[in-house]
Amino acid sequence: KNALANELRSPIICVLGHVDTGKTKILDHIRKSNVQTGEAGGITQQIGATFVPIQTVKDRTECLNQKGKLELNVPGLLIIDTPGHESFSNLRSRGSSLCDLSILVIDLMHGLEPQTIESIKLLKKGKTPFVVALNKIDRLYGWVAHDNLNFTATMKKQTENVKIEFKDRCNQILGQLAEQGLNACLYHENKDIRKTVSVVPTSAHTGEGIPDLMMLVVQLTQRMMAERLAFVDILQCTVLEVKVLLGLGTTIDVILSQGKLREGDQIVVSGLDGPITSQLQHDPTYAVILAFDVKVDKDAQDMCKEMGVTLFTADIIYHLFDNFTAHLAAIKA
Ligand code: GDP
Ligand code: MG
């Protein structure tokens, strides 16, 4: 095998779980942003994709990887956030169907909730491997925070009462998972990652356990799906959703899961009155916005550049837009 043959693409990770379990907050912690507080009512309304470069993963997992035991071979992680509200089950199912691995977030204080169970069903149906983030450990009574420390280290520093309460709650949730037909255990006790779901206790507020979560995700993808992640230069894109963005008009969010898009490439989308074509203006990153609007202005272009996404423009007429969503859905089906 030569070096090129070993090149891996970034795994696509989808974050699923009941509303308010901390999905967006965990992502914020990983990318050091603050999306959650900026959301209207703190509610994720749509799928959002974030690329986490491997250097960030290395930095954040340093406390676990001091001897460089684990080689990190993927270029990064492409993480997709999903809304937990009942009414968004179509977005959740789309997100989970396109990902390589999923993080199922469960609130340690609440246990399994309706959309947790729905998510488990989606994951089983798609045979998607996943890990559980048992979030909000900082809410255990008497918890003393040690920011960004790995789980076993921070747990050692807690009082006996905290340890007991954690164990009780954790065991209860492991029991609930067993009722859903899932074998699960704490990740550092997991002897067979193919048969048993790993559970990582986390706090998206203090960052405790987040290094463990990131490390586990990388380990799992590298160990279990090297073949699936092998980079091949055959283009594969999935439409996540169609939406109207201020200043951009109707846009299509697509995830580039395989291959490379290059400046100058021609993009064709099938429209009601024939093909809609567009040319790539610069090399894109992982997340791509396709804008089909004649009114794209300079500000919008700058905004996309800042966001690190590529903007495609297309000369098409406005009346197409009315039926655009339905039509794209039809293309996908
Ligand atoms: P989502 O609906 O799953 O995306 O949940 P959010 O990320 O919007 O978080 C819901 C609420 O839980 C917010 O008020 C967060 O500040 C809070 N939250 C999230 N993670 C944690 C955590 O680890 N500890 C505590 N104490 N609160 C959290
Ligand atoms: Mg959210």
Side-chain angles (χ1 to χ4, degrees):
K1 276 184 190 171
N2 59 28
L4 251 182
N6 288 333
E7 198 184 338
L8 299 180
R9 65 175 173 84
S10 301
I12 301 171
I13 321 282
C14 176
V15 188
L16 292 174
H18 196 81
V19 65
D20 269 356
T21 49
K23 297 179 293 299
T24 305
K25 202 84 193 162
I26 287 177
L27 265 177
D28 276 344
H29 212 284
I30 292 174
R31 68 192 162 205
K32 292 216 162 96
S33 66
N34 212 342
V35 170
Q36 199 268 331
T37 47
E39 290 176 339
I43 296 167
T44 311
Q45 303 278 5
Q46 61 204 18
I47 288 186
T50 309
F51 180 67
V52 182
I54 200 64
Q55 192 54 49
T56 307
V57 179
K58 280 182 183 158
D59 295 346
R60 299 300 303 275
T61 57
E62 218 176 5
C63 58
L64 285 165
N65 200 20
Q66 278 151 344
K67 288 171 208 118
K69 277 176 298 194
L70 178 74
E71 234 185 280
L72 302 175
N73 298 322
V74 291
L77 306 171
L78 184 67
I79 311 185
I80 299 175
D81 192 11
T82 66
H85 269 278
E86 205 183 341
S87 54
F88 289 114
S89 78
N90 60 329
L91 283 186
R92 282 194 294 279
S93 93
R94 194 170 300 180
S96 74
S97 68
L98 111 134
C99 69
D100 301 303
L101 182 124
S102 179
I103 298 172
L104 176 66
V105 185
I106 298 176
D107 185 331
L108 175 64
M109 311 310 274
H110 292 174
L112 269 62
E113 297 175 271
Q115 269 66 59
T116 323
I117 293 167
E118 185 214 65
S119 302
I120 291 173
K121 289 190 176 136
L122 278 175
L123 293 166
K124 278 186 174 172
K125 198 171 139 210
K127 296 200 172 69
T128 311
F130 65 99
V131 299
V132 168
L134 203 51
N135 194 37
K136 307 198 185 182
I137 49 171
D138 62 284
R139 289 193 53 200
L140 289 166
Y141 185 75
W143 183 265
V144 181
H146 304 275
D147 286 2
N148 302 316
L149 200 57
N150 64 68
F151 170 70
T152 40
T154 192
M155 204 58 190
K156 264 196 200 127
K157 294 175 189 265
Q158 305 298 325
T159 62
E160 237 10 77
N161 283 341
V162 170
K163 284 178 189 164
I164 290 168
E165 191 194 345
F166 171 76
K167 217 170 169 200
D168 282 352
R169 289 187 183 276
C170 183
N171 284 338
Q172 208 178 335
I173 291 171
L174 292 180
Q176 292 176 333
L177 289 170
E179 280 169 26
Q180 299 300 316
L182 290 174
N183 262 330
C185 72
L186 284 171
Y187 83 101
H188 52 274
E189 294 166 359
N190 194 348
K191 302 226 160 58
D192 186 351
I193 55 167
R194 281 165 207 274
K195 292 201 178 121
T196 310
V197 176
S198 290
V199 175
V200 193
T202 57
S203 165
H205 272 187
T206 65
E208 289 158 294
I210 301 283
D212 313 54
L213 181 62
M214 293 177 80
M215 182 65 102
L216 185 67
V217 162
V218 174
Q219 272 175 344
L220 275 178
T221 51
Q222 287 186 173
R223 270 193 216 155
M224 287 172 67
M225 36 188 106
E227 216 164 287
R228 191 179 157 134
L229 294 180
F231 177 83
V232 289
D233 207 359
I234 296 170
L235 196 72
Q236 194 182 325
C237 271
T238 307
V239 175
L240 271 185
E241 59 177 325
V242 180
K243 62 185 177 215
V244 177
L245 282 185
L246 202 69
L248 292 179
T250 306
T251 66
I252 311 174
D253 285 359
V254 302
I255 292 287
L256 173 61
S257 47
Q258 193 58 277
K260 259 196 183 103
L261 280 169
R262 298 172 180 91
E263 189 181 329
D265 281 354
Q266 188 89 4
I267 311 280
V268 183
V269 176
S270 136
L272 290 178
D273 293 345
I276 302 163
T277 64
S278 175
Q279 204 166 40
L280 218 58
Q281 294 167 341
H282 40 90
D283 285 344
T285 49
Y286 293 83
V288 177
I289 293 179
L290 299 171
F292 290 93
D293 195 329
V294 282
K295 289 192 301 186
V296 177
D297 55 18
K298 178 96 180 26
D299 283 353
Q301 288 179 16
D302 290 348
M303 185 178 94
C304 281
K305 239 187 199 156
E306 245 166 62
M307 287 159 66
V309 298
T310 298
L311 174 70
F312 304 86
T313 46
D315 310 297
I316 53 159
I317 22 174
Y318 227 73
H319 73 257
L320 269 183
F321 296 161
D322 296 344
N323 290 312
F324 214 54
T325 309
H327 190 59
L328 262 174
I331 295 171
K332 204 178 177 279

